Amino acid sequence: MPLPPLPGEDLEHVLEHTRDLWSEVRGGRIFLTGGTGFFGPWLVETFSNANDRLGLGAELVVLTRDPDGTVQRLPHYADLEIVKKNPFATIDTSGVGQLVEMACSRGRKTRPSIKLGICGEHGGDPASIHFFEKVKLDYVSCSPFRVPVARLAAAQAALSMKAPD
């Protein structure tokens, strides 16, 4: 069920009573889980208002099991393209991707022969496959209908990473 935007006077009231606290997140990134519950949409609205009004330049990352549900509950954000890509289908290289890269690097330092791969929707997404080639995953696994695209993307990624002669 779509939720209407929070009334401006409510957002103003929250901002008025929390103004001094927002400087703590200036230029930072906030990680929020549960974008479809009761508090998730309220926090998204409150953060967006403070970020815009106070010029914080902060980023809000929302993790939810249901990105489509979040967009349905907050339809007024859909036009803003806050969710540019479904994070369950295309890897967020600047967020989760950094964790993958760190895990690969540290895992190989500890055990050089370790085999690392990815399974799931990311394994069939061309953009994600190019990233996985960059961090040198050994394999990707995906649903059968995505295999042809995954093979082509893997070949293209491998060729793009090859050193020029």
mmCIF file of all heavy atoms in Angstrom, residues 31-82:
data_model
loop_
_atom_site.group_PDB
_atom_site.id
_atom_site.type_symbol
_atom_site.label_atom_id
_atom_site.label_comp_id
_atom_site.label_asym_id
_atom_site.label_seq_id
_atom_site.Cartn_x
_atom_site.Cartn_y
_atom_site.Cartn_z
ATOM 1 N N PHE A 31 23.678 3.505 6.609
ATOM 2 C CA PHE A 31 23.189 2.197 6.168
ATOM 3 C C PHE A 31 21.931 1.891 6.963
ATOM 4 O O PHE A 31 21.956 1.840 8.188
ATOM 5 C CB PHE A 31 24.266 1.141 6.424
ATOM 6 C CG PHE A 31 23.890 -0.234 5.982
ATOM 7 C CD1 PHE A 31 23.766 -0.532 4.633
ATOM 8 C CD2 PHE A 31 23.670 -1.234 6.905
ATOM 9 C CE1 PHE A 31 23.425 -1.802 4.223
ATOM 10 C CE2 PHE A 31 23.333 -2.510 6.502
ATOM 11 C CZ PHE A 31 23.209 -2.795 5.158
ATOM 12 N N LEU A 32 20.817 1.712 6.249
ATOM 13 C CA LEU A 32 19.524 1.466 6.876
ATOM 14 C C LEU A 32 19.002 0.112 6.426
ATOM 15 O O LEU A 32 18.968 -0.174 5.234
ATOM 16 C CB LEU A 32 18.538 2.566 6.474
ATOM 17 C CG LEU A 32 17.069 2.380 6.859
ATOM 18 C CD1 LEU A 32 16.901 2.440 8.372
ATOM 19 C CD2 LEU A 32 16.213 3.433 6.185
ATOM 20 N N THR A 33 18.610 -0.709 7.372
ATOM 21 C CA THR A 33 17.983 -1.980 7.025
ATOM 22 C C THR A 33 16.491 -1.877 7.310
ATOM 23 O O THR A 33 16.074 -1.180 8.229
ATOM 24 C CB THR A 33 18.575 -3.157 7.835
ATOM 25 O OG1 THR A 33 18.363 -2.932 9.223
ATOM 26 C CG2 THR A 33 20.059 -3.304 7.566
ATOM 27 N N GLY A 34 15.712 -2.538 6.499
ATOM 28 C CA GLY A 34 14.272 -2.572 6.725
ATOM 29 C C GLY A 34 13.536 -1.416 6.093
ATOM 30 O O GLY A 34 12.829 -0.681 6.772
ATOM 31 N N GLY A 35 13.689 -1.238 4.796
ATOM 32 C CA GLY A 35 13.075 -0.111 4.112
ATOM 33 C C GLY A 35 11.572 -0.202 3.922
ATOM 34 O O GLY A 35 10.953 0.761 3.497
ATOM 35 N N THR A 36 10.943 -1.340 4.246
ATOM 36 C CA THR A 36 9.506 -1.447 4.003
ATOM 37 C C THR A 36 8.678 -1.526 5.276
ATOM 38 O O THR A 36 7.460 -1.561 5.209
ATOM 39 C CB THR A 36 9.186 -2.693 3.139
ATOM 40 O OG1 THR A 36 9.708 -3.848 3.786
ATOM 41 C CG2 THR A 36 9.747 -2.548 1.755
ATOM 42 N N GLY A 37 9.305 -1.552 6.423
ATOM 43 C CA GLY A 37 8.545 -1.617 7.674
ATOM 44 C C GLY A 37 7.944 -0.264 8.021
ATOM 45 O O GLY A 37 7.832 0.628 7.185
ATOM 46 N N PHE A 38 7.572 -0.097 9.263
ATOM 47 C CA PHE A 38 6.987 1.165 9.703
ATOM 48 C C PHE A 38 8.033 2.269 9.768
ATOM 49 O O PHE A 38 7.843 3.364 9.255
ATOM 50 C CB PHE A 38 6.322 0.993 11.078
ATOM 51 C CG PHE A 38 5.817 2.289 11.635
ATOM 52 C CD1 PHE A 38 4.637 2.851 11.159
ATOM 53 C CD2 PHE A 38 6.515 2.965 12.612
ATOM 54 C CE1 PHE A 38 4.175 4.060 11.654
ATOM 55 C CE2 PHE A 38 6.064 4.166 13.120
ATOM 56 C CZ PHE A 38 4.881 4.719 12.636
ATOM 57 N N PHE A 39 9.169 1.981 10.414
ATOM 58 C CA PHE A 39 10.170 3.017 10.620
ATOM 59 C C PHE A 39 11.018 3.293 9.391
ATOM 60 O O PHE A 39 11.509 4.402 9.214
ATOM 61 C CB PHE A 39 11.079 2.673 11.815
ATOM 62 C CG PHE A 39 10.386 2.824 13.127
ATOM 63 C CD1 PHE A 39 10.039 1.716 13.875
ATOM 64 C CD2 PHE A 39 10.065 4.084 13.609
ATOM 65 C CE1 PHE A 39 9.380 1.864 15.087
ATOM 66 C CE2 PHE A 39 9.411 4.241 14.820
ATOM 67 C CZ PHE A 39 9.066 3.126 15.558
ATOM 68 N N GLY A 40 11.214 2.299 8.535
ATOM 69 C CA GLY A 40 12.050 2.483 7.343
ATOM 70 C C GLY A 40 11.621 3.660 6.493
ATOM 71 O O GLY A 40 12.415 4.590 6.248
ATOM 72 N N PRO A 41 10.377 3.669 6.011
ATOM 73 C CA PRO A 41 9.936 4.809 5.193
ATOM 74 C C PRO A 41 10.010 6.146 5.939
ATOM 75 O O PRO A 41 10.362 7.169 5.361
ATOM 76 C CB PRO A 41 8.486 4.456 4.843
ATOM 77 C CG PRO A 41 8.452 2.964 4.886
ATOM 78 C CD PRO A 41 9.394 2.591 6.009
ATOM 79 N N TRP A 42 9.702 6.138 7.234
ATOM 80 C CA TRP A 42 9.780 7.362 8.030
ATOM 81 C C TRP A 42 11.226 7.866 8.077
ATOM 82 O O TRP A 42 11.486 9.058 7.906
ATOM 83 C CB TRP A 42 9.253 7.078 9.435
ATOM 84 C CG TRP A 42 9.169 8.304 10.295
ATOM 85 C CD1 TRP A 42 8.139 9.188 10.378
ATOM 86 C CD2 TRP A 42 10.192 8.780 11.186
ATOM 87 N NE1 TRP A 42 8.445 10.184 11.266
ATOM 88 C CE2 TRP A 42 9.700 9.961 11.780
ATOM 89 C CE3 TRP A 42 11.448 8.335 11.538
ATOM 90 C CZ2 TRP A 42 10.441 10.691 12.698
ATOM 91 C CZ3 TRP A 42 12.189 9.062 12.454
ATOM 92 C CH2 TRP A 42 11.675 10.225 13.029
ATOM 93 N N LEU A 43 12.176 6.947 8.275
ATOM 94 C CA LEU A 43 13.585 7.347 8.319
ATOM 95 C C LEU A 43 14.066 7.845 6.963
ATOM 96 O O LEU A 43 14.839 8.809 6.886
ATOM 97 C CB LEU A 43 14.451 6.181 8.799
ATOM 98 C CG LEU A 43 14.308 5.844 10.284
ATOM 99 C CD1 LEU A 43 15.007 4.532 10.608
ATOM 100 C CD2 LEU A 43 14.862 6.966 11.141
ATOM 101 N N VAL A 44 13.625 7.184 5.887
ATOM 102 C CA VAL A 44 14.010 7.626 4.544
ATOM 103 C C VAL A 44 13.522 9.054 4.312
ATOM 104 O O VAL A 44 14.271 9.914 3.844
ATOM 105 C CB VAL A 44 13.449 6.670 3.460
ATOM 106 C CG1 VAL A 44 13.590 7.269 2.069
ATOM 107 C CG2 VAL A 44 14.154 5.321 3.528
ATOM 108 N N GLU A 45 12.277 9.318 4.637
ATOM 109 C CA GLU A 45 11.698 10.652 4.460
ATOM 110 C C GLU A 45 12.443 11.691 5.308
ATOM 111 O O GLU A 45 12.780 12.779 4.825
ATOM 112 C CB GLU A 45 10.217 10.659 4.878
ATOM 113 C CG GLU A 45 9.334 9.842 4.005
ATOM 114 C CD GLU A 45 8.743 10.645 2.857
ATOM 115 O OE1 GLU A 45 9.104 11.824 2.664
ATOM 116 O OE2 GLU A 45 7.919 10.073 2.150
ATOM 117 N N THR A 46 12.675 11.362 6.561
ATOM 118 C CA THR A 46 13.332 12.291 7.473
ATOM 119 C C THR A 46 14.758 12.588 7.018
ATOM 120 O O THR A 46 15.189 13.743 6.991
ATOM 121 C CB THR A 46 13.339 11.710 8.903
ATOM 122 O OG1 THR A 46 11.982 11.443 9.293
ATOM 123 C CG2 THR A 46 13.967 12.668 9.893
ATOM 124 N N PHE A 47 15.489 11.544 6.650
ATOM 125 C CA PHE A 47 16.860 11.721 6.178
ATOM 126 C C PHE A 47 16.888 12.575 4.909
ATOM 127 O O PHE A 47 17.688 13.501 4.790
ATOM 128 C CB PHE A 47 17.529 10.370 5.905
ATOM 129 C CG PHE A 47 18.867 10.513 5.249
ATOM 130 C CD1 PHE A 47 20.001 10.757 6.002
ATOM 131 C CD2 PHE A 47 18.987 10.445 3.871
ATOM 132 C CE1 PHE A 47 21.231 10.920 5.401
ATOM 133 C CE2 PHE A 47 20.211 10.612 3.253
ATOM 134 C CZ PHE A 47 21.341 10.853 4.019
ATOM 135 N N SER A 48 16.027 12.241 3.956
ATOM 136 C CA SER A 48 16.010 12.970 2.680
ATOM 137 C C SER A 48 15.726 14.454 2.898
ATOM 138 O O SER A 48 16.364 15.317 2.280
ATOM 139 C CB SER A 48 14.965 12.379 1.736
ATOM 140 O OG SER A 48 15.316 11.068 1.398
ATOM 141 N N ASN A 49 14.796 14.737 3.781
ATOM 142 C CA ASN A 49 14.469 16.132 4.083
ATOM 143 C C ASN A 49 15.671 16.850 4.701
ATOM 144 O O ASN A 49 16.042 17.939 4.264
ATOM 145 C CB ASN A 49 13.263 16.205 5.025
ATOM 146 C CG ASN A 49 12.888 17.630 5.362
ATOM 147 O OD1 ASN A 49 12.563 18.413 4.487
ATOM 148 N ND2 ASN A 49 12.961 17.962 6.641
ATOM 149 N N ALA A 50 16.281 16.246 5.712
ATOM 150 C CA ALA A 50 17.429 16.877 6.374
ATOM 151 C C ALA A 50 18.599 17.024 5.409
ATOM 152 O O ALA A 50 19.273 18.060 5.381
ATOM 153 C CB ALA A 50 17.844 16.062 7.600
ATOM 154 N N ASN A 51 18.834 15.999 4.602
ATOM 155 C CA ASN A 51 19.935 16.038 3.645
ATOM 156 C C ASN A 51 19.752 17.190 2.658
ATOM 157 O O ASN A 51 20.699 17.936 2.384
ATOM 158 C CB ASN A 51 20.006 14.702 2.909
ATOM 159 C CG ASN A 51 21.347 14.461 2.265
ATOM 160 O OD1 ASN A 51 22.381 14.882 2.754
ATOM 161 N ND2 ASN A 51 21.335 13.760 1.148
ATOM 162 N N ASP A 52 18.532 17.347 2.152
ATOM 163 C CA ASP A 52 18.248 18.424 1.205
ATOM 164 C C ASP A 52 18.288 19.797 1.880
ATOM 165 O O ASP A 52 18.929 20.724 1.374
ATOM 166 C CB ASP A 52 16.875 18.229 0.556
ATOM 167 C CG ASP A 52 16.835 17.054 -0.389
ATOM 168 O OD1 ASP A 52 17.906 16.553 -0.789
ATOM 169 O OD2 ASP A 52 15.723 16.628 -0.731
ATOM 170 N N ARG A 53 17.619 19.922 2.996
ATOM 171 C CA ARG A 53 17.477 21.233 3.652
ATOM 172 C C ARG A 53 18.794 21.744 4.234
ATOM 173 O O ARG A 53 19.061 22.940 4.215
ATOM 174 C CB ARG A 53 16.433 21.143 4.766
ATOM 175 C CG ARG A 53 15.027 20.812 4.305
ATOM 176 C CD ARG A 53 14.200 22.016 3.896
ATOM 177 N NE ARG A 53 14.218 23.117 4.823
ATOM 178 C CZ ARG A 53 13.463 23.209 5.924
ATOM 179 N NH1 ARG A 53 12.608 22.251 6.226
ATOM 180 N NH2 ARG A 53 13.560 24.257 6.711
ATOM 181 N N LEU A 54 19.612 20.817 4.758
ATOM 182 C CA LEU A 54 20.850 21.232 5.413
ATOM 183 C C LEU A 54 22.080 21.077 4.520
ATOM 184 O O LEU A 54 23.199 21.356 4.960
ATOM 185 C CB LEU A 54 21.044 20.438 6.711
ATOM 186 C CG LEU A 54 19.924 20.576 7.745
ATOM 187 C CD1 LEU A 54 20.180 19.655 8.930
ATOM 188 C CD2 LEU A 54 19.771 22.014 8.192
ATOM 189 N N GLY A 55 21.872 20.604 3.298
ATOM 190 C CA GLY A 55 22.992 20.438 2.367
ATOM 191 C C GLY A 55 24.066 19.515 2.910
ATOM 192 O O GLY A 55 25.252 19.818 2.836
ATOM 193 N N LEU A 56 23.649 18.375 3.443
ATOM 194 C CA LEU A 56 24.597 17.468 4.098
ATOM 195 C C LEU A 56 25.499 16.719 3.123
ATOM 196 O O LEU A 56 26.589 16.298 3.481
ATOM 197 C CB LEU A 56 23.833 16.450 4.956
ATOM 198 C CG LEU A 56 22.997 17.032 6.082
ATOM 199 C CD1 LEU A 56 22.172 15.937 6.746
ATOM 200 C CD2 LEU A 56 23.875 17.746 7.087
ATOM 201 N N GLY A 57 25.019 16.495 1.912
ATOM 202 C CA GLY A 57 25.817 15.731 0.952
ATOM 203 C C GLY A 57 26.048 14.306 1.414
ATOM 204 O O GLY A 57 27.058 13.689 1.091
ATOM 205 N N ALA A 58 25.124 13.774 2.198
ATOM 206 C CA ALA A 58 25.244 12.416 2.717
ATOM 207 C C ALA A 58 24.481 11.452 1.818
ATOM 208 O O ALA A 58 23.644 11.850 1.018
ATOM 209 C CB ALA A 58 24.707 12.341 4.143
ATOM 210 N N GLU A 59 24.802 10.179 1.944
ATOM 211 C CA GLU A 59 24.166 9.145 1.140
ATOM 212 C C GLU A 59 23.442 8.175 2.066
ATOM 213 O O GLU A 59 23.963 7.815 3.121
ATOM 214 C CB GLU A 59 25.230 8.391 0.337
ATOM 215 C CG GLU A 59 24.691 7.302 -0.534
ATOM 216 C CD GLU A 59 25.790 6.552 -1.266
ATOM 217 O OE1 GLU A 59 26.985 6.872 -1.098
ATOM 218 O OE2 GLU A 59 25.448 5.615 -1.996
ATOM 219 N N LEU A 60 22.271 7.756 1.652
ATOM 220 C CA LEU A 60 21.498 6.777 2.409
ATOM 221 C C LEU A 60 21.454 5.492 1.606
ATOM 222 O O LEU A 60 21.030 5.491 0.457
ATOM 223 C CB LEU A 60 20.078 7.280 2.659
ATOM 224 C CG LEU A 60 19.152 6.351 3.437
ATOM 225 C CD1 LEU A 60 19.666 6.154 4.860
ATOM 226 C CD2 LEU A 60 17.741 6.914 3.467
ATOM 227 N N VAL A 61 21.936 4.404 2.195
ATOM 228 C CA VAL A 61 21.891 3.089 1.570
ATOM 229 C C VAL A 61 20.847 2.282 2.323
ATOM 230 O O VAL A 61 20.954 2.091 3.533
ATOM 231 C CB VAL A 61 23.268 2.381 1.636
ATOM 232 C CG1 VAL A 61 23.193 0.988 1.048
ATOM 233 C CG2 VAL A 61 24.326 3.224 0.936
ATOM 234 N N VAL A 62 19.824 1.836 1.600
ATOM 235 C CA VAL A 62 18.736 1.095 2.221
ATOM 236 C C VAL A 62 18.820 -0.359 1.787
ATOM 237 O O VAL A 62 18.806 -0.667 0.596
ATOM 238 C CB VAL A 62 17.360 1.679 1.817
ATOM 239 C CG1 VAL A 62 16.233 0.876 2.460
ATOM 240 C CG2 VAL A 62 17.270 3.140 2.214
ATOM 241 N N LEU A 63 18.928 -1.250 2.758
ATOM 242 C CA LEU A 63 18.916 -2.678 2.485
ATOM 243 C C LEU A 63 17.537 -3.199 2.853
ATOM 244 O O LEU A 63 17.068 -3.010 3.970
ATOM 245 C CB LEU A 63 19.978 -3.406 3.313
ATOM 246 C CG LEU A 63 20.004 -4.918 3.160
ATOM 247 C CD1 LEU A 63 20.402 -5.316 1.742
ATOM 248 C CD2 LEU A 63 20.953 -5.538 4.164
ATOM 249 N N THR A 64 16.916 -3.840 1.895
ATOM 250 C CA THR A 64 15.594 -4.391 2.123
ATOM 251 C C THR A 64 15.466 -5.700 1.363
ATOM 252 O O THR A 64 16.098 -5.872 0.322
ATOM 253 C CB THR A 64 14.488 -3.405 1.694
ATOM 254 O OG1 THR A 64 13.222 -4.030 1.840
ATOM 255 C CG2 THR A 64 14.671 -2.938 0.268
ATOM 256 N N ARG A 65 14.685 -6.598 1.890
ATOM 257 C CA ARG A 65 14.431 -7.853 1.181
ATOM 258 C C ARG A 65 13.506 -7.629 0.000
ATOM 259 O O ARG A 65 13.366 -8.481 -0.861
ATOM 260 C CB ARG A 65 13.797 -8.882 2.116
ATOM 261 C CG ARG A 65 14.764 -9.400 3.152
ATOM 262 C CD ARG A 65 14.032 -10.258 4.134
ATOM 263 N NE ARG A 65 13.222 -9.364 4.973
ATOM 264 C CZ ARG A 65 12.390 -9.747 5.893
ATOM 265 N NH1 ARG A 65 12.204 -11.012 6.118
ATOM 266 N NH2 ARG A 65 11.714 -8.877 6.609
ATOM 267 N N ASP A 66 12.878 -6.482 -0.060
ATOM 268 C CA ASP A 66 11.864 -6.222 -1.074
ATOM 269 C C ASP A 66 12.022 -4.820 -1.666
ATOM 270 O O ASP A 66 11.270 -3.913 -1.331
ATOM 271 C CB ASP A 66 10.479 -6.395 -0.439
ATOM 272 C CG ASP A 66 9.346 -6.271 -1.424
ATOM 273 O OD1 ASP A 66 9.603 -6.257 -2.651
ATOM 274 O OD2 ASP A 66 8.199 -6.169 -0.975
ATOM 275 N N PRO A 67 13.028 -4.618 -2.566
ATOM 276 C CA PRO A 67 13.220 -3.291 -3.139
ATOM 277 C C PRO A 67 11.984 -2.794 -3.883
ATOM 278 O O PRO A 67 11.648 -1.615 -3.832
ATOM 279 C CB PRO A 67 14.393 -3.446 -4.099
ATOM 280 C CG PRO A 67 14.990 -4.765 -3.830
ATOM 281 C CD PRO A 67 14.008 -5.568 -3.045
ATOM 282 N N ASP A 68 11.299 -3.698 -4.576
ATOM 283 C CA ASP A 68 10.094 -3.293 -5.297
ATOM 284 C C ASP A 68 9.012 -2.841 -4.321
ATOM 285 O O ASP A 68 8.285 -1.884 -4.589
ATOM 286 C CB ASP A 68 9.575 -4.434 -6.177
ATOM 287 C CG ASP A 68 10.559 -4.778 -7.295
ATOM 288 O OD1 ASP A 68 11.301 -3.878 -7.733
ATOM 289 O OD2 ASP A 68 10.586 -5.942 -7.724
ATOM 290 N N GLY A 69 8.909 -3.525 -3.185
ATOM 291 C CA GLY A 69 7.945 -3.133 -2.155
ATOM 292 C C GLY A 69 8.262 -1.768 -1.579
ATOM 293 O O GLY A 69 7.361 -0.978 -1.294
ATOM 294 N N THR A 70 9.556 -1.474 -1.428
ATOM 295 C CA THR A 70 9.950 -0.163 -0.922
ATOM 296 C C THR A 70 9.502 0.920 -1.892
ATOM 297 O O THR A 70 8.955 1.942 -1.488
ATOM 298 C CB THR A 70 11.477 -0.098 -0.713
ATOM 299 O OG1 THR A 70 11.848 -1.105 0.229
ATOM 300 C CG2 THR A 70 11.925 1.253 -0.205
ATOM 301 N N VAL A 71 9.726 0.686 -3.181
ATOM 302 C CA VAL A 71 9.319 1.667 -4.186
ATOM 303 C C VAL A 71 7.794 1.799 -4.208
ATOM 304 O O VAL A 71 7.262 2.894 -4.367
ATOM 305 C CB VAL A 71 9.880 1.287 -5.575
ATOM 306 C CG1 VAL A 71 9.286 2.155 -6.667
ATOM 307 C CG2 VAL A 71 11.398 1.410 -5.575
ATOM 308 N N GLN A 72 7.080 0.686 -4.000
ATOM 309 C CA GLN A 72 5.613 0.747 -3.964
ATOM 310 C C GLN A 72 5.118 1.542 -2.759
ATOM 311 O O GLN A 72 4.136 2.266 -2.841
ATOM 312 C CB GLN A 72 5.014 -0.659 -3.936
ATOM 313 C CG GLN A 72 5.107 -1.364 -5.266
ATOM 314 C CD GLN A 72 4.625 -2.810 -5.178
ATOM 315 O OE1 GLN A 72 4.293 -3.309 -4.107
ATOM 316 N NE2 GLN A 72 4.606 -3.481 -6.315
ATOM 317 N N ARG A 73 5.811 1.372 -1.622
ATOM 318 C CA ARG A 73 5.379 2.082 -0.409
ATOM 319 C C ARG A 73 5.773 3.551 -0.443
ATOM 320 O O ARG A 73 5.183 4.373 0.227
ATOM 321 C CB ARG A 73 5.945 1.406 0.838
ATOM 322 C CG ARG A 73 5.259 0.081 1.129
ATOM 323 C CD ARG A 73 5.786 -0.547 2.398
ATOM 324 N NE ARG A 73 5.564 0.284 3.560
ATOM 325 C CZ ARG A 73 4.654 0.064 4.498
ATOM 326 N NH1 ARG A 73 3.852 -0.957 4.381
ATOM 327 N NH2 ARG A 73 4.550 0.852 5.534
ATOM 328 N N LEU A 74 6.820 3.859 -1.196
ATOM 329 C CA LEU A 74 7.292 5.246 -1.311
ATOM 330 C C LEU A 74 7.323 5.646 -2.788
ATOM 331 O O LEU A 74 8.375 5.963 -3.338
ATOM 332 C CB LEU A 74 8.699 5.372 -0.697
ATOM 333 C CG LEU A 74 8.808 5.084 0.797
ATOM 334 C CD1 LEU A 74 10.260 4.963 1.226
ATOM 335 C CD2 LEU A 74 8.106 6.147 1.606
ATOM 336 N N PRO A 75 6.165 5.659 -3.444
ATOM 337 C CA PRO A 75 6.154 5.905 -4.893
ATOM 338 C C PRO A 75 6.692 7.270 -5.292
ATOM 339 O O PRO A 75 7.210 7.435 -6.386
ATOM 340 C CB PRO A 75 4.675 5.762 -5.272
ATOM 341 C CG PRO A 75 3.923 5.998 -4.005
ATOM 342 C CD PRO A 75 4.811 5.503 -2.899
ATOM 343 N N HIS A 76 6.608 8.246 -4.401
ATOM 344 C CA HIS A 76 7.113 9.572 -4.718
ATOM 345 C C HIS A 76 8.635 9.595 -4.840
ATOM 346 O O HIS A 76 9.199 10.563 -5.312
ATOM 347 C CB HIS A 76 6.623 10.610 -3.705
ATOM 348 C CG HIS A 76 6.778 10.204 -2.283
ATOM 349 N ND1 HIS A 76 5.967 9.256 -1.689
ATOM 350 C CD2 HIS A 76 7.648 10.600 -1.336
ATOM 351 C CE1 HIS A 76 6.335 9.092 -0.430
ATOM 352 N NE2 HIS A 76 7.345 9.893 -0.193
ATOM 353 N N TYR A 77 9.315 8.514 -4.424
ATOM 354 C CA TYR A 77 10.757 8.416 -4.619
ATOM 355 C C TYR A 77 11.121 7.684 -5.902
ATOM 356 O O TYR A 77 12.256 7.754 -6.357
ATOM 357 C CB TYR A 77 11.425 7.713 -3.429
ATOM 358 C CG TYR A 77 11.576 8.623 -2.248
ATOM 359 C CD1 TYR A 77 10.749 8.498 -1.147
ATOM 360 C CD2 TYR A 77 12.528 9.624 -2.238
ATOM 361 C CE1 TYR A 77 10.866 9.354 -0.068
ATOM 362 C CE2 TYR A 77 12.655 10.485 -1.168
ATOM 363 C CZ TYR A 77 11.824 10.339 -0.084
ATOM 364 O OH TYR A 77 11.940 11.193 0.968
ATOM 365 N N ALA A 78 10.193 6.968 -6.499
ATOM 366 C CA ALA A 78 10.472 6.200 -7.713
ATOM 367 C C ALA A 78 10.966 7.111 -8.830
ATOM 368 O O ALA A 78 11.899 6.763 -9.552
ATOM 369 C CB ALA A 78 9.239 5.425 -8.148
ATOM 370 N N ASP A 79 10.360 8.275 -8.988
ATOM 371 C CA ASP A 79 10.760 9.198 -10.045
ATOM 372 C C ASP A 79 12.155 9.776 -9.820
ATOM 373 O O ASP A 79 12.796 10.236 -10.755
ATOM 374 C CB ASP A 79 9.760 10.349 -10.163
ATOM 375 C CG ASP A 79 8.401 9.873 -10.644
ATOM 376 O OD1 ASP A 79 8.332 8.788 -11.269
ATOM 377 O OD2 ASP A 79 7.407 10.588 -10.397
ATOM 378 N N LEU A 80 12.617 9.772 -8.592
ATOM 379 C CA LEU A 80 13.942 10.301 -8.286
ATOM 380 C C LEU A 80 15.048 9.316 -8.618
ATOM 381 O O LEU A 80 16.221 9.637 -8.518
ATOM 382 C CB LEU A 80 14.034 10.682 -6.797
ATOM 383 C CG LEU A 80 13.046 11.732 -6.314
ATOM 384 C CD1 LEU A 80 13.177 11.928 -4.817
ATOM 385 C CD2 LEU A 80 13.281 13.042 -7.042
ATOM 386 N N GLU A 81 14.669 8.099 -8.997
ATOM 387 C CA GLU A 81 15.609 7.030 -9.323
ATOM 388 C C GLU A 81 16.594 6.788 -8.191
ATOM 389 O O GLU A 81 17.796 6.651 -8.405
ATOM 390 C CB GLU A 81 16.347 7.327 -10.619
ATOM 391 C CG GLU A 81 15.446 7.315 -11.823
ATOM 392 C CD GLU A 81 16.203 7.481 -13.132
ATOM 393 O OE1 GLU A 81 17.418 7.758 -13.112
ATOM 394 O OE2 GLU A 81 15.564 7.332 -14.172
ATOM 395 N N ILE A 82 16.083 6.767 -6.971
ATOM 396 C CA ILE A 82 16.936 6.460 -5.828
ATOM 397 C C ILE A 82 17.472 5.044 -5.975
ATOM 398 O O ILE A 82 18.628 4.771 -5.699
ATOM 399 C CB ILE A 82 16.154 6.634 -4.503
ATOM 400 C CG1 ILE A 82 15.879 8.114 -4.295
ATOM 401 C CG2 ILE A 82 16.902 6.033 -3.338
ATOM 402 C CD1 ILE A 82 14.972 8.431 -3.156
#
